Amino acid sequence: MNATQEQITELKSALKAKHLSAYHKRIQAVYLRSQKLTYKAISDLIGLSHDTIWRLVKKYEQEGLSALTHDARGGRHRSYLTYEEEKAFLEEQFVGSASDQFVTIAEMHEAYQTKIGKQTTREGFYALLKRHGWRKVTPRPEHPKKADAKTILASKNKIYLQEDEKAL
């Protein structure tokens, strides 16, 4: 790599920049290559493969520093609606529930499928609700391990008997 003095200065300042700390290894690999270190030496120092270092150097030569500080991963590539469209859909559902209608997940899921025109899984719809901060807020009627009425009455009688014995 034949780097100009401007490029070397740019790489040095990028290595010192705090907001670029996540890309330090990438920048360091290109900087070391500009200092005429071999791919093997850079690989031993940083822990990146020969191919990765070569690819980073080529990207830097073609596009500059922005090629090293740009993440192409992540995102919602297989979504049916954008985040804003999902938010608008849930807002419509919220308005329906605010007007004294009881809205269930099954009804909302059905409306969502109608809107996008495809069949989807219930798990995917639950992920949509979680993504927008929705959660189930209805309390359960009673604890699932609640004792039966006879056991509760017996425990109450035991307390009364103990209180009567203390009084004597």
Side-chain angles (χ1 to χ4, degrees):
M1 174 181 177
N2 294 327
T4 64
Q5 192 59 37
E6 285 180 12
Q7 289 176 326
I8 292 172
T9 307
E10 178 186 38
L11 290 168
K12 278 185 181 179
S13 64
L15 284 171
K16 293 177 183 176
K18 208 173 222 180
H19 69 282
L20 298 176
S21 63
Y23 311 104
H24 189 80
K25 258 188 183 181
R26 297 176 186 178
I27 298 167
Q28 194 175 27
V30 174
Y31 174 73
L32 291 174
R33 187 65 186 139
S34 72
Q35 298 300 311
K36 306 294 185 201
L37 260 69
T38 64
Y39 289 108
K40 175 74 173 141
I42 298 170
S43 179
D44 291 341
L45 285 172
I46 299 178
L48 296 175
S49 71
H50 175 280
D51 292 335
T52 302
I53 298 167
W54 181 83
R55 199 175 312 112
L56 290 171
V57 169
K58 288 299 173 191
K59 275 186 173 182
Y60 179 73
E61 287 175 344
Q62 292 172 357
E63 301 173 33
L65 186 64
S66 64
L68 302 177
T69 60
H70 176 71
D71 281 326
R73 292 181 171 189
R76 297 182 55 214
H77 303 293
R78 295 181 195 97
S79 59
Y80 295 114
L81 301 173
T82 64
Y83 186 82
E84 290 76 24
E85 290 172 336
E86 287 177 352
K87 194 171 186 176
F89 169 76
L90 291 175
E91 194 65 36
E92 292 170 11
Q93 299 300 314
F94 183 72
V95 169
S97 67
S99 62
D100 295 335
Q101 291 179 348
F102 188 73
V103 179
T104 64
I105 295 294
E107 292 170 359
M108 289 174 63
H109 183 232
E110 193 67 36
Y112 177 70
Q113 289 177 344
T114 304
K115 182 172 180 89
I116 63 171
K118 293 186 176 211
Q119 292 289 322
T120 61
T121 62
R122 177 86 43 105
E123 290 81 16
F125 187 70
Y126 275 112
L128 179 147
L129 293 175
K130 185 177 180 182
R131 187 168 40 249
H132 291 276
W134 284 47
R135 59 187 182 87
K136 184 178 179 182
V137 292
T138 56
R140 57 183 177 207
E142 60 184 32
H143 196 276
K145 294 184 179 178
K146 180 180 175 183
D148 62 333
K150 189 176 180 181
T151 308
I152 293 172
L153 185 61
S155 68
K156 287 181 180 178
N157 287 340
K158 218 183 254 184
I159 294 171
Y160 293 134
L161 290 175
Q162 290 174 354
E163 289 176 359
D164 289 342
E165 289 175 7
K166 285 182 186 177
L168 294 176

